[in-house]
Amino acid sequence: MTAYLIADVDVTDPTAFEEYKREVPATEAPYGGKYLGRGGLTKVLEGDWQPHRLVIVEFPDMDSLMAWYDSPEYARLKAIRQRCATTRIVALEGLQP
């Protein structure tokens, strides 16, 4: 069942974040990760949520998503992101066929 990583990223060090942005797609691809949205324009339709940089990544399933998130390939980049941004991340399981 498809799974989605949804992140709201508040970048605090844009220079350092550039390395993360540039290198992270190569770590996701082996796990089947595919961007559906990455930092585009957002419009709040209801509520008081003020998103920053929204990212949605589709994975084949939750196991693949978690394998990527916990992978040694991503660990170095995760540490960079955690230093240069405040991030809220959720993993969402998609609909059953």
Side-chain angles (χ1 to χ4, degrees):
M1 178 179 325
T2 304
Y4 303 92
L5 178 133
I6 303 167
D8 182 5
V9 184
D10 183 7
V11 178
T12 55
D13 181 347
T15 303
F17 193 73
E18 285 302 313
E19 178 181 3
Y20 177 84
K21 277 184 7 185
R22 185 177 59 251
E23 295 185 26
V24 75
T27 68
E28 295 164 332
Y31 297 89
K34 179 178 99 175
Y35 284 96
L36 300 180
R38 188 179 188 203
L41 174 69
T42 60
K43 292 188 178 202
V44 176
L45 303 179
E46 293 187 25
D48 60 2
W49 183 24
Q50 297 302 313
H52 299 91
R53 174 184 173 81
L54 286 181
V55 178
I56 301 173
V57 185
E58 178 183 78
F59 286 87
D61 51 46
M62 189 66 77
D63 288 342
S64 297
L65 187 159
M66 294 309 301
W68 164 75
Y69 186 79
D70 294 329
S71 71
E73 300 91 348
Y74 182 54
R76 180 182 69 82
L77 294 174
K78 185 190 305 184
I80 291 171
R81 177 184 48 77
Q82 290 172 338
R83 280 194 309 271
C84 67
T86 300
T87 311
R88 289 149 296 282
I89 300 174
V90 298
L92 170 68
E93 196 168 65
L95 298 174
Q96 294 185 3

